[in-house]
Each structure stands twice: as C-alpha cells, then as structure tokens.
Amino acid sequence: MFLKHLECSACGLQHEWSRLQNLCCSCYKPLLAIVDLAAASRTLTRETLATREESLWRYREVLPLPGDVEPASLGEGGTPLLSGRKFADDIDLWIKDESLNPTQSFKARGMSVAVSMAKYLGATKLAVPSAGNAGGALAAYAARAGLEAHIFMPHDTPRANIIECRELGAHVTLIDGLITDCGAEIARRKEKEGWFDMSTLKEPYRVEGKKTLGYELAEQCEWQLPDVVLYPTGGGTGLIGMWKAFDEMETLGWIGKKRPRMFAVQASGCAPIVRAFEAGEKSAAEFPDAHTIASGLRVPKAIGDFLMLNILRQSKGGAIAVDDEEMVRVAHEVGSKEGLFVCPEGAACFGALKGLQRTRKIASGERAVIFNTGAGIKYLECYRS
Ligand SMILES: Cc1ncc(COP(=O)(O)O)c(C=O)c1O
Ligand SMILES: [Zn+2]
C-alpha cells in the first residue's frame, strides 16, 4: 500500500492513517488521503491497467488498504461510457452510466473502499445519514464485510432505498427531517453506541473510492479529459474525488494539464452551491426549506462546500440549478432517445446541458460527459405520474 498519511483539506495538518478517524482534529474539516505516487507508479502504469480486472480495485496502488487485505467488493466500478448523441447531436455527449454498479448507484464505489478501510482499522458498527443510495451501498458492503450498518434516512426517502437497506440486514431509522438532521442524530448517539461515522467527507476514504470515477473517465477517453463534466452534486464527493484523481494522474504522467470545466448540477429547491457560486462566496450557507424529488440532491449544507467552490472556479466551470418538473420531463426524453432510465439526479444534468447550450457556455462539437449516478427504477414515486 502506498498511502502516506491523511492531510487536512483546509489547514494542511497531517494525520496518521493507521487509526480510525473522521475530521481534522484541529479545524474539523475533511481529511484527504495522500498517496506516494512515485512508489505506486512502479507497478501501476497505463499499460498494466489494461490487463487488469474491471473492478475499481484495479487501481489498487493508488487506493488505501494494505495489499494483502481482501477488500469488501461486489464488482463495483468499470461502468460503461455511452454515447449520448441522440439527446444532443451537436455536442460530443457521453454518459457515464453509474446505475450499473452494485446497489445501482455510484455510492458503491465510495462504500467499497471506506467499508474495507473501516473494517481493517477495527470498526464494527458503521453509521451513515443517507438520502437513499449511500444507505443501500453501506448496507450491502457492511453485510459483505460482516459489520453492522446503522442507517438514518429522511422519512420521504424513496421506498426502494428503505426496503433495500432492510433486506440487506441494516438497522434503519427514518427521521422526520432532512439528511442534515439524520447526521445530527448520528453525531448525538455515536459515542455511546460505538458507531463509526461514515458520513460524506467526514471520513477520508469514500472520496478515494469516488476518485476512481476520474481514473476510469480518463482511461475511457483515451487519456484526453473531456471539455465539460456535469455532475449532480449533493455532498460533492464525486466532484472532489475526480478532481483529486486528475491531479494524481498528472503527477503520474498519465494526463496533461488540461482539465474539464466542471459543473455542479443541483435542484432549484436545494441549490446551496449554485447560490454560493453566483454570489462569489467561498463557502455555502445552509439552503432553507430544501425540497426536491432528487433525494440525492437534498443536501442543504455540505461540509466540503469550500472544496467544491474552489474546483468549479479553478476549472472555469460553474453551478446550475434545474427544477423538478424539468428533471421528470428530461428523464423521459433521455429514456426514449437513449434507452436509459436515469435517476432524477442524472436527469438534472441533461437539463443543465440544455441550459449550457442556451447560454452558449458549451460550443458545438465540444466533448461533454454526464454522470448518471443512479437508477431511475429506484424512484418510482417520482415518475409515477
Ligand atoms: C443518485 C445520486 N446522485 C447524486 C448524489 C450526490 O452525490 P454527492 O453527495 O457525492 O454529491 C447522490 C447522493 O445521495 C445520489 O444518490
Ligand atoms: Zn484542519
């Protein structure tokens, strides 16, 4: 394993990786894993990658977990990058279809890595606040690893997610509130109950799993990153993880300096990052009365807000809000044109692409990649009418 240490994303303070921990012990911001890339590159090259298994564990040298420890794995990663030409014929549009992961969402990537590390470092009971998909993924990987999963979800989480968590043997608590209220309940009880908090960016390794989105994207685009990336953003792990992957790959000599313009896509009813981006703020205030059918985007306050805003500005991208009616309408358009039943979060990105075209923030012929982060079939309540 080539993990060197953990580093605070805000104050830079180093922490040892070898004990279970959550936030920076000095400023309470997220910790990120620092990998010895020079050492990793002795065995991990673009050429060796091509011969390896499809799962995200093919990037083993840049992931945490000692080499002789078996990861908690269900075959996550290795999802297809599909052409989206019928949806937007003047854009070179591609869709990274993350609904083909175990538990049908991209949350599998983060949880495979984070559950593996939590178990290795001695955790036995894992807790997470979830909009739905992260809960399902935690439940599956905890079961695989033989650990307890304690999942707190808003009562209006899609039924499929709730049933899935229960059938995977997790302890499920429904909360009359938002994901932030679920997180607060875990924070209140975790010490007494002996739970390890697996909240987005409050432990360092879910982002390591999510960074494989960036590695896969580069490989599937033959090491030329696209011009534009549209990512449905709640807590922002994918955005932060991909950006980290791009930097790591540049250090490895796999890609050049070019970065995609990164766009965070949110719901009009819960758009803290959009508001903060437009106001020129460095962090995002809590979004009041958050509501949207895209449960994964119902995150009124994100601990990684400052990291996301930095990435959007550095990449010369932006932040776009899409309303619920547009998500449902566009999901039908994507379904009937491309044969993909996308989740509302994914649909939001297709709506945002239309916005970029209207405002000429994307030129015809440019290559854009949309992340369909989950499966429409889990959101029957949203699509019923
Ligand atoms: C389908 C889907 N898309 C996007 C998101 C947002 O992901 P992140 O919190 O990494 O920004 C979620 C989170 O729950 C989700 O379930
Ligand atoms: Zn710090």
Side-chain angles (χ1 to χ4, degrees), residues 166-375:
R166 290 193 175 130
E167 292 307 312
L168 288 165
H171 302 266
V172 178
T173 307
L174 299 181
I175 298 277
D176 190 12
L178 295 165
I179 191 167
T180 35
D181 301 305
C182 297
E185 180 71 4
I186 292 175
R188 242 190 321 273
R189 293 175 54 190
K190 66 182 178 186
E191 210 155 309
K192 185 161 162 269
E193 304 278 358
W195 295 336
F196 181 62
D197 189 344
M198 300 283 280
S199 302
T200 296
L201 287 165
K202 288 189 185 162
E203 65 74 56
Y205 301 116
R206 282 175 65 184
V207 78
E208 289 300 290
K210 289 280 186 74
K211 85 181 178 188
T212 62
L213 286 169
Y215 276 90
E216 273 180 32
L217 181 65
E219 194 177 353
Q220 288 172 315
C221 293
E222 296 177 339
W223 311 107
Q224 294 290 326
L225 295 178
D227 301 301
V228 166
V229 162
L230 293 134
Y231 175 82
T233 305
T237 37
L239 206 62
I240 295 163
M242 270 192 273
W243 197 251
K244 184 171 189 282
F246 298 157
D247 284 348
E248 288 180 2
M249 285 188 286
E250 190 182 345
T251 306
L252 287 165
W254 292 5
I255 61 167
K257 289 211 169 314
K258 178 186 161 175
R259 298 289 183 271
R261 307 198 297 282
M262 306 291 282
F263 287 90
V265 180
Q266 300 201 298
S268 308
C270 183
I273 300 299
V274 178
R275 270 198 186 166
F277 182 83
E278 287 173 354
E281 306 283 357
K282 289 199 172 104
S283 61
E286 182 158 345
F287 198 91
D289 306 321
H291 61 91
T292 167
I293 56 162
S295 44
L297 306 184
R298 218 185 289 142
V299 181
K301 177 80 189 148
I303 191 166
D305 54 356
F306 68 104
L307 297 170
M308 289 188 257
L309 288 161
N310 242 338
I311 292 167
L312 304 180
R313 292 191 178 115
Q314 249 181 283
S315 73
K316 302 193 168 25
I320 303 168
V322 175
D323 67 38
D324 286 8
E325 292 73 38
E326 175 72 350
M327 289 180 213
V328 172
R329 200 195 61 68
V330 174
H332 183 78
E333 188 181 340
V334 177
S336 50
K337 287 185 176 163
E338 300 289 356
L340 291 173
F341 185 14
V342 297
C343 59
E345 295 85 348
C349 293
F350 288 89
L353 179 72
K354 285 180 186 283
L356 286 184
Q357 287 180 289
R358 265 195 309 273
T359 53
R360 300 190 192 282
K361 287 196 181 133
I362 185 164
S364 73
E366 280 198 303
R367 175 169 289 185
V369 174
I370 282 176
F371 285 85
N372 177 46
T373 42

Side-chain angles (χ1 to χ4, degrees), residues 20 22 111 114-115 117-128 138-139 141-143 145-152 169-171 186 189-199 203:
L20 267 182
N22 291 108
M111 287 303 182
V115 169
M117 273 305 271
K119 179 176 180 175
Y120 174 68
L121 296 174
T124 55
K125 299 176 183 181
L126 310 178
V128 81
L138 177 67
Y141 287 96
L147 306 179
E148 276 182 26
H150 297 265
I151 297 164
F152 291 76
H171 302 266
I186 292 175
R189 293 175 54 190
K190 66 182 178 186
E191 210 155 309
K192 185 161 162 269
E193 304 278 358
W195 295 336
F196 181 62
D197 189 344
M198 300 283 280
S199 302
E203 65 74 56

Side-chain angles (χ1 to χ4, degrees), residues 8 10-13 24 26-29:
C8 175
C11 76
L13 188 69
C24 170
S26 170
C27 73
Y28 305 103
K29 296 290 185 196

